[in-house]
Amino acid sequence: MTAPNRATLWGRTLVDELAAGGLEAVCLAPGSRSTPLTVAFAEHPEIETYSHLDERSAAFFALGRARRTGEPTALVCTSGTAAANFHPAVIEASQARVPLLVLTADRPPELRDSGANQTVDQVKLYGDAVRWYVELPVPKPDERALRSLRTTAARALARTSGIPAGPVHLNCPFRKPLEPTRVPDAVPEGLEDTLAGRGRDGPFVRVSTGETTSTEDSRTPERIARALEDAARPLIVAGPADPPVRKLATSAVVDLATAVGAPIFADPLSTLRFGSHLETPDEDEPVVYGGYDTYVEAVPDPDAVIRFGASPTSKPLRHALRDADCRQFLVDPAGEWREATFTASDLVVSEPTSLFEAVSSELETETARARVDDAWLETLAAAEAHHWAVSTSGRADLESAPFEGAILATVFEAAPDPSTVFVSNSMPIRDANRFGEPRDADLTVLANRGASGIDGIVSTALGAGSATDDPLVLVTGDLALYHDSNGLLALKRCGVDATIVLLDNDGGGIFHKLPIESFDPPFTEQFRTPHGLEFDPLGELYGFDVRHVAPDKFEDAYRESFATSGTQLLSVSFDAEASHRRREVLEGRVLEAVRDLE
Amino acid sequence: MTAPNRATLWGRTLVDELAAGGLEAVCLAPGSRSTPLTVAFAEHPEIETYSHLDERSAAFFALGRARRTGEPTALVCTSGTAAANFHPAVIEASQARVPLLVLTADRPPELRDSGANQTVDQVKLYGDAVRWYVELPVPKPDERALRSLRTTAARALARTSGIPAGPVHLNCPFRKPLEPTRVPDAVPEGLEDTLAGRGRDGPFVRVSTGETTSTEDSRTPERIARALEDAARPLIVAGPADPPVRKLATSAVVDLATAVGAPIFADPLSTLRFGSHLETPDEDEPVVYGGYDTYVEAVPDPDAVIRFGASPTSKPLRHALRDADCRQFLVDPAGEWREATFTASDLVVSEPTSLFEAVSSELETETARARVDDAWLETLAAAEAHHWAVSTSGRADLESAPFEGAILATVFEAAPDPSTVFVSNSMPIRDANRFGEPRDADLTVLANRGASGIDGIVSTALGAGSATDDPLVLVTGDLALYHDSNGLLALKRCGVDATIVLLDNDGGGIFHKLPIESFDPPFTEQFRTPHGLEFDPLGELYGFDVRHVAPDKFEDAYRESFATSGTQLLSVSFDAEASHRRREVLEGRVLEAVRDLE
């Protein structure tokens, strides 16, 4: 059926090509100028639509979904400041390599800079934070224009999943009528049919994705293999994973580590800290380590390092790597530099999986194992054991000595298998890093570590939760919960259930970790910023249960939440300063034990 | 006293120069990298600080304060996505000419693009939406660097109030230590003292502002005077005022209008709709008209027009001006084009006040008055009288025929004198335009009409309210209230009281005005977006009273609110569609009466 007018034709064609290219979901914020896009998305049978009222939350929701699935999610808004509300999530998507297709409706070019209502300069609105920016022409009903539109749509979608993945921005000007109102002779008969899929099932332009591997003549795998064979204390550092989180073949890392005799220091956001590769752990010689944040400064430095993924969450680990005077291979498929201490000696541009397989096949295993310093491995294994023993003991007296880390320990220990666990920035991710014990369970652990903001946390988590039937856990502080409280509307509107763990220390607890703590004023008023908010009314507003739980009762309430339908917010109150002091005490105990090993 | 380290020196110097240059207020969002700025602002005795936890709301609050006062407000955030959360307000400030000084802390250049935490590309983050972008160097403790810093600070502050006023962005990289921790030998003794104010009281660099006037040899005032003398139906159109709202001398407009015999069509956001110039209105021949939105299409076109301010809120007026085949002078001090129908024939680059005074003194008053078509003036006066009579009659049976416009009529009629009335976009500003009757009262009426978004409404209003002791009224719809519900935290944190009038029609009522209304789906789900939110819990969360008021009981509750301390949210529920139909009925009655005049 011929489209009733040009805007409708344009919107339909664009959306049809995106759907044919595999786009599965879109977040829509209401608006007038975006009507042709909204109508086309809403009527498309194969694309799931999520309606959001706050564009900032919409964008983070789309980000969360794309982060969890690794597949592009589209995002639509009207013209004006609406588009600027997408900016924080676009930056996070850019830094964290999340495929996001941003479609902003716009007024036609002749209305720009003329005082026309809701008309702002949207050209390159997100600057260099997008992989590709395209200024679409105003809808034009001829074949070449539609071929161009379909080609752009296919390329844009593919580009979101390129190397590296990230956001793409299509700015889409429309003239009225925007609604599917019939305009006689606006669209030639049959124009659409000649183009759709070129008569075959599928997109007009099919883009086959590529992958970065080390070139055959570079001898890179060989050089890495030799370096590992020569090393006495070889270390593999798995940083936060890039979406799709499951792209990396865990086995390739574990096999290499086992062949070399190298421990893996696994970030909670890597795919190595949790998973079935931990099914039969060897406590005397574990392959995957998670407790290094407390003890890495007290054990001997590695003498060869392979790093992949983003920069590790653990600051002590980053500092230890900075101080280790050795060869360090930084593996990244996009060839970006992902460590800010500038200590790496070799940048290897390759997907880790294929590279590690190639290194393994080059490796003389016996030579490598023979060189490994067993005493070092024993120290590491003992330190790791001490760390978890102390962490566990620290949870024995929560009534008298509550601290936030104990909650994170429980969150990971008792999370359902499988589940998605989204962890907010600031203190929660640091405690997840320190207290999330490696576990044989299919936990997809996510955080917004691209730019590490505390904005959009709720929405990103709910977006991630919307993508699967896995139970969803969100761990957040009170500031992040406040910051994106609007995101809670998606619980009902988008049909997501979650277990929300709120670590409520009434303000910015993380500032107690910083030297500013000793300058008050302005510490309390401008940094710690106690707000006194009681979040119970949010439950009433957005329709979920709020339960106040004492730290020592948290585990029961947490487990119970998974047996309960709907969303529960488990609010656990803490004194941020006391939590910090408790962390220091436990860290001291681990360090003492580790120093005694020597 | 010598600053303890370079970052502290830098922050103090910058803030000292801004204070000396007249900066009075800053909105601070907590963060680590911005510590040198936050500490310097917090310790400065002459700068008022407002602490905000959501950067988006912080920026709109600053915008509101600057919009109300016409004086620059500063804005500080840490590095990362925090800065992107300022973007919507920066765009509004740019489009609406609001002086805003945006200070974003940043990591030092060597950490960019290296995977360093919370490090994003902040260079030119707001694109062309700022009047000036400066990348400050990292703090450097020598005299020339400090002279440069002070000069940049003085220029940046002045630039926010330039022609046109608007946002300026200083990106401020800092290296650790960020806190005022003493670092031996980091800052030479006495360095600061030699610079502060060059030994005199005041800024290091004093910038004297300029003003645009028509040049003497241009004969512009003369040409305008002749055009007005020749006109039978001369019209003055006062669009939304630019900050500072009180800059325009109302008397210059009224004097010119009176001399010419030209009616003034006064936008509710101009300074002409309300004020003491209406003290002795002449009902037979009013100077200021406010009801034109209903009847302008039914009265004869003007034959000469002077327009100033931004593009009028009234769409019927914009269309009538488009269709009037006559000379139209567009007066703008910045020489920008502020009407999107492209009907103006003369762009006059000048401040309206000096121009109008010049035109008045050129004018042959008797010639001008003699040419005026008295029948036309009588028609206008009668139409205006009909409009307000019908509007008043429409409020007589609110119980049986409630509609949103009646609330806006009461809002203006019963607002305290003086007071600040902030009106949200979407339907409230349209109803303010149509039902806000001209009144001899000192009402400062504000709205975010630069980009006309529904984001940041609460914060902008509270920022405006923070600037004076005048009572503050905020009129908002439910979507805008939800969108910036975080902004409500400022009621307590920033000590602002308000009367919040909520027109709750459960979703995007404005879409009933658009053709998309007849396409359902997707109308309800994607456009009207009923959310079912009951806002009472927000009152509990942020500490204010919520009162549900029937439309016919609104006036009493509204008047009572001003006699009550604290903040009251008066929630009035409406059926959006019924409201639209009621507006149409009333409009029909006015048009019928006006057509009978001919």
Side-chain angles (χ1 to χ4, degrees):
Chain A
M1 199 190 65
T2 303
N5 62 48
R6 293 175 183 190
T8 306
L9 167 71
W10 205 249
R12 269 190 201 164
T13 304
L14 177 57
V15 170
D16 185 65
E17 185 68 19
L18 293 174
L23 182 76
E24 291 177 355
V26 62
C27 292
L28 302 166
S32 174
R33 191 57 51 167
S34 50
T35 298
L37 297 172
T38 300
V39 169
F41 274 115
E43 77 187 9
H44 203 286
E46 283 157 40
I47 297 183
E48 191 149 4
T49 59
Y50 298 96
S51 168
H52 295 266
L53 304 182
D54 176 344
E55 292 83 5
R56 182 172 68 176
S57 297
F60 277 107
F61 188 96
L63 172 87
R65 198 181 193 287
R67 194 189 273 284
R68 177 66 183 84
T69 60
E71 300 293 329
T73 303
L75 196 51
V76 172
C77 71
T78 190
S79 66
T81 51
N85 279 280
F86 286 171
H87 203 166
V90 168
I91 289 177
E92 174 63 23
S94 179
Q95 308 250 133
R97 306 183 174 181
V98 181
L100 210 58
L101 182 63
V102 182
L103 306 168
T104 56
D106 200 354
R107 309 268 152 153
E110 67 271 17
L111 290 189
R112 295 182 192 156
D113 209 7
S114 73
N117 198 27
Q118 254 181 34
T119 307
V120 312
D121 180 5
Q122 297 176 194
V123 174
K124 302 207 169 187
L125 187 69
Y126 310 116
D128 290 339
V130 291
R131 303 285 180 261
W132 195 33
Y133 168 81
V134 181
E135 175 74 11
L136 286 177
V138 288
K140 201 162 168 265
D142 70 38
E143 195 174 313
R144 189 173 179 191
L146 292 183
R147 294 167 79 94
S148 159
L149 178 64
R150 282 190 180 268
T151 305
T152 300
R155 291 176 59 198
L157 189 65
R159 194 71 170 257
T160 62
S161 302
I163 304 169
V168 166
H169 178 201
L170 302 186
N171 195 46
C172 312
F174 289 106
R175 292 207 182 93
K176 293 180 179 179
L178 306 166
E179 304 79 8
T181 311
R182 186 153 299 275
V183 178
D185 304 324
V187 178
E189 290 266 345
L191 176 61
E192 291 154 274
D193 304 334
T194 60
L195 284 170
R198 307 189 202 238
R200 60 175 158 79
D201 191 25
F204 183 69
V205 172
R206 185 183 304 276
V207 182
S208 305
T209 55
E211 183 175 289
T212 324
T213 57
S214 60
T215 51
E216 220 167 289
D217 61 354
S218 72
R219 301 182 56 214
T220 305
E222 197 184 319
R223 276 185 297 126
I224 298 175
R226 293 299 89 80
L228 292 174
E229 286 161 11
D230 287 349
R233 298 184 303 279
L235 177 68
I236 297 178
V237 175
D242 301 311
V245 169
R246 295 292 175 206
K247 185 174 184 183
L248 178 87
T250 305
S251 58
V253 192
V254 173
D255 289 351
L256 178 62
T258 310
V260 177
I264 301 170
F265 279 12
D267 196 273
L269 301 172
S270 73
T271 53
L272 276 295
R273 177 91 61 113
F274 309 98
S276 57
H277 57 286
L278 295 168
E279 201 176 355
T280 49
D282 178 345
E283 284 197 10
D284 292 335
E285 200 172 303
V287 175
V288 170
Y289 289 73
Y292 49 84
D293 196 61
T294 44
Y295 61 74
V296 66
E297 58 171 282
V299 296
D301 288 338
D303 64 355
V305 178
I306 301 188
R307 309 169 60 147
F308 64 97
S311 187
T313 305
S314 169
K315 194 173 183 176
L317 174 58
R318 296 198 305 266
H319 285 182
L321 291 171
R322 176 193 64 197
D323 299 339
D325 183 21
C326 70
R327 194 145 181 200
Q328 298 195 22
F329 297 91
L330 193 61
V331 181
D332 186 56
E336 291 184 339
W337 195 265
R338 304 178 91 180
E339 63 90 8
T341 62
F342 308 104
T343 189
S345 55
D346 293 65
L347 175 62
V348 181
V349 184
S350 177
E351 277 298 335
T353 301
S354 60
L355 179 78
F356 292 170
E357 285 167 354
V359 173
S360 290
S361 71
E362 282 287 343
L363 199 74
E364 310 236 353
T365 307
E366 280 179 32
T367 314
R369 299 289 312 210
R371 296 255 184 148
V372 170
D373 178 350
D374 287 326
W376 179 65
L377 284 183
E378 279 163 29
T379 303
L380 285 183
E384 178 82 359
H386 278 302
H387 171 83
W388 297 117
V390 168
S391 165
T392 303
S393 74
R395 292 153 64 193
D397 47 355
L398 282 179
E399 208 171 347
S400 59
F403 79 116
E404 296 161 18
I407 303 298
L408 269 297
T410 304
V411 158
F412 290 99
E413 187 181 275
D417 180 8
S419 58
T420 300
V421 181
F422 192 93
V423 184
S424 176
N425 285 311
S426 197
M427 284 317 297
I429 186 62
R430 287 173 174 78
D431 279 338
N433 179 47
R434 186 172 279 197
F435 298 106
E437 188 169 359
R439 184 182 153 207
D440 166 27
D442 184 14
L443 308 187
T444 303
V445 185
L446 303 171
N448 277 349
R449 290 306 279 179
S452 298
I454 60 156
D455 44 350
I457 295 298
V458 172
S459 297
T460 315
L462 299 189
S466 76
T468 74
D469 289 332
D470 292 357
L472 171 68
V473 177
L474 161 60
V475 186
T476 179
D478 47 284
L479 284 187
L481 179 67
Y482 159 77
H483 208 293
D484 191 24
S485 62
N486 277 2
L488 294 164
L489 184 61
L491 289 169
K492 267 202 289 194
R493 278 182 84 79
C494 303
V496 186
D497 280 357
T499 296
I500 302 176
V501 178
L502 168 62
L503 301 163
D504 190 350
N505 55 33
D506 190 21
I510 197 170
F511 291 107
H512 280 293
K513 269 178 81 97
L514 298 173
I516 192 69
E517 183 184 16
S518 55
F519 299 91
D520 199 0
F523 173 71
T524 303
E525 186 125 340
Q526 301 295 347
F527 292 85
R528 227 187 90 56
T529 55
H531 45 72
L533 290 174
E534 297 286 347
F535 291 106
D536 300 61
L538 284 182
E540 209 183 317
L541 186 62
Y542 296 115
F544 57 87
D545 288 344
V546 177
R547 297 179 193 171
H548 293 268
V549 182
D552 60 320
K553 301 287 186 295
F554 172 72
E555 184 170 344
D556 289 346
Y558 182 63
R559 290 185 188 274
E560 195 187 310
S561 165
F562 299 109
T564 316
S565 66
T567 291
Q568 293 81 41
L569 183 145
L570 309 177
S571 176
V572 199
S573 290
F574 286 98
D575 179 273
E577 196 183 348
S579 272
H580 277 296
R581 300 300 97 90
R582 184 73 179 150
R583 276 187 204 96
E584 285 163 4
V585 166
L586 296 180
E587 184 175 0
R589 280 190 208 158
V590 175
L591 287 174
E592 203 179 325
V594 171
R595 288 197 175 107
D596 283 348
L597 290 172
E598 294 176 57
Chain B
M1 200 191 64
T2 304
N5 61 49
R6 293 174 181 190
T8 306
L9 167 71
W10 205 248
R12 270 190 201 164
T13 305
L14 177 57
V15 169
D16 185 66
E17 185 67 20
L18 293 174
L23 181 76
E24 290 176 357
V26 62
C27 292
L28 302 165
S32 175
R33 191 56 52 167
S34 50
T35 298
L37 298 172
T38 301
V39 169
F41 274 115
E43 76 186 11
H44 202 287
E46 284 158 38
I47 298 183
E48 191 148 4
T49 59
Y50 298 96
S51 168
H52 295 267
L53 304 182
D54 177 342
E55 291 83 5
R56 181 171 69 177
S57 296
F60 276 107
F61 188 96
L63 173 87
R65 197 181 193 286
R67 193 189 275 283
R68 176 66 182 83
T69 61
E71 301 294 329
T73 303
L75 197 49
V76 173
C77 71
T78 191
S79 66
T81 51
N85 278 280
F86 286 171
H87 203 167
V90 167
I91 289 177
E92 173 63 23
S94 179
Q95 309 251 135
R97 305 182 175 181
V98 180
L100 209 57
L101 181 62
V102 182
L103 306 168
T104 56
D106 200 354
R107 310 268 152 153
E110 67 272 15
L111 291 190
R112 295 182 191 155
D113 210 6
S114 73
N117 198 28
Q118 253 180 36
T119 308
V120 313
D121 180 5
Q122 297 176 195
V123 175
K124 304 207 168 185
L125 187 69
Y126 311 116
D128 290 338
V130 292
R131 303 286 180 261
W132 195 32
Y133 168 81
V134 181
E135 175 73 12
L136 286 177
V138 289
K140 201 163 167 264
D142 70 38
E143 196 173 312
R144 189 173 179 190
L146 291 183
R147 293 167 80 95
S148 159
L149 178 64
R150 282 190 180 270
T151 305
T152 300
R155 291 177 59 198
L157 188 66
R159 194 73 169 257
T160 62
S161 301
I163 305 168
V168 166
H169 178 201
L170 303 186
N171 195 45
C172 313
F174 289 106
R175 292 208 182 92
K176 292 182 179 177
L178 306 167
E179 305 79 7
T181 309
R182 187 152 299 276
V183 177
D185 305 323
V187 179
E189 289 266 343
L191 175 63
E192 291 155 273
D193 304 335
T194 61
L195 284 170
R198 307 190 203 238
R200 58 174 160 79
D201 192 26
F204 182 70
V205 171
R206 187 183 304 277
V207 182
S208 304
T209 54
E211 183 175 290
T212 323
T213 57
S214 61
T215 52
E216 220 167 290
D217 61 353
S218 73
R219 302 182 54 214
T220 305
E222 198 184 319
R223 276 185 298 130
I224 298 175
R226 295 299 89 79
L228 292 174
E229 287 160 12
D230 287 350
R233 297 184 304 280
L235 177 67
I236 297 178
V237 175
D242 301 312
V245 169
R246 295 291 176 208
K247 186 174 185 181
L248 179 88
T250 305
S251 59
V253 191
V254 174
D255 290 352
L256 178 62
T258 310
V260 177
I264 301 170
F265 279 11
D267 196 274
L269 302 172
S270 73
T271 54
L272 276 296
R273 176 90 63 111
F274 307 99
S276 56
H277 57 285
L278 296 168
E279 202 177 355
T280 49
D282 179 346
E283 285 197 10
D284 292 335
E285 200 172 302
V287 176
V288 170
Y289 289 73
Y292 50 85
D293 195 61
T294 42
Y295 60 75
V296 66
E297 59 172 281
V299 295
D301 288 337
D303 64 354
V305 178
I306 301 187
R307 310 170 60 148
F308 64 98
S311 187
T313 305
S314 168
K315 194 172 183 176
L317 174 57
R318 296 198 306 265
H319 286 183
L321 292 171
R322 177 194 64 198
D323 298 338
D325 183 21
C326 70
R327 193 144 180 203
Q328 297 195 21
F329 297 90
L330 192 61
V331 181
D332 186 56
E336 291 184 339
W337 196 265
R338 304 178 89 180
E339 64 90 8
T341 62
F342 309 102
T343 189
S345 55
D346 292 66
L347 176 61
V348 181
V349 183
S350 177
E351 276 299 334
T353 301
S354 60
L355 180 78
F356 292 170
E357 284 166 355
V359 172
S360 290
S361 71
E362 282 287 344
L363 200 75
E364 309 237 354
T365 307
E366 281 179 30
T367 315
R369 300 289 313 212
R371 296 256 183 145
V372 169
D373 177 350
D374 288 326
W376 179 66
L377 284 182
E378 281 163 29
T379 303
L380 283 185
E384 178 82 359
H386 277 303
H387 171 83
W388 296 118
V390 168
S391 166
T392 303
S393 75
R395 293 153 63 193
D397 47 356
L398 283 180
E399 208 172 347
S400 59
F403 80 116
E404 296 162 19
I407 302 298
L408 269 297
T410 304
V411 159
F412 290 99
E413 187 180 275
D417 180 7
S419 57
T420 301
V421 181
F422 192 93
V423 185
S424 177
N425 285 311
S426 197
M427 285 317 297
I429 186 63
R430 287 173 174 77
D431 278 337
N433 179 49
R434 185 172 279 197
F435 298 105
E437 189 169 359
R439 183 182 154 206
D440 166 26
D442 184 13
L443 307 187
T444 303
V445 185
L446 303 171
N448 278 348
R449 290 306 279 179
S452 298
I454 60 156
D455 45 351
I457 294 299
V458 172
S459 298
T460 314
L462 299 189
S466 76
T468 74
D469 289 333
D470 292 358
L472 171 68
V473 177
L474 160 61
V475 186
T476 179
D478 47 284
L479 283 187
L481 179 66
Y482 159 77
H483 208 293
D484 191 24
S485 62
N486 277 3
L488 294 165
L489 183 61
L491 289 169
K492 267 202 289 193
R493 278 183 83 80
C494 303
V496 186
D497 280 356
T499 295
I500 303 175
V501 178
L502 168 63
L503 301 163
D504 190 350
N505 56 33
D506 191 20
I510 196 169
F511 291 106
H512 281 293
K513 269 178 81 96
L514 298 172
I516 192 70
E517 183 185 15
S518 56
F519 299 90
D520 200 0
F523 173 71
T524 303
E525 185 123 344
Q526 301 295 348
F527 293 86
R528 226 186 91 55
T529 56
H531 45 72
L533 289 173
E534 297 287 348
F535 292 105
D536 299 62
L538 283 182
E540 208 183 317
L541 187 61
Y542 296 115
F544 57 87
D545 289 343
V546 177
R547 296 178 193 171
H548 293 267
V549 181
D552 60 320
K553 301 287 186 294
F554 171 74
E555 184 169 345
D556 290 345
Y558 181 64
R559 291 186 188 274
E560 196 188 309
S561 166
F562 299 108
T564 315
S565 66
T567 291
Q568 292 81 41
L569 183 145
L570 309 177
S571 177
V572 200
S573 290
F574 286 99
D575 179 275
E577 198 183 345
S579 272
H580 278 295
R581 300 300 97 87
R582 184 74 178 149
R583 277 186 204 95
E584 285 164 4
V585 167
L586 296 180
E587 183 175 358
R589 282 190 208 157
V590 176
L591 287 174
E592 202 178 325
V594 172
R595 289 198 175 106
D596 283 348
L597 291 171
E598 294 173 59

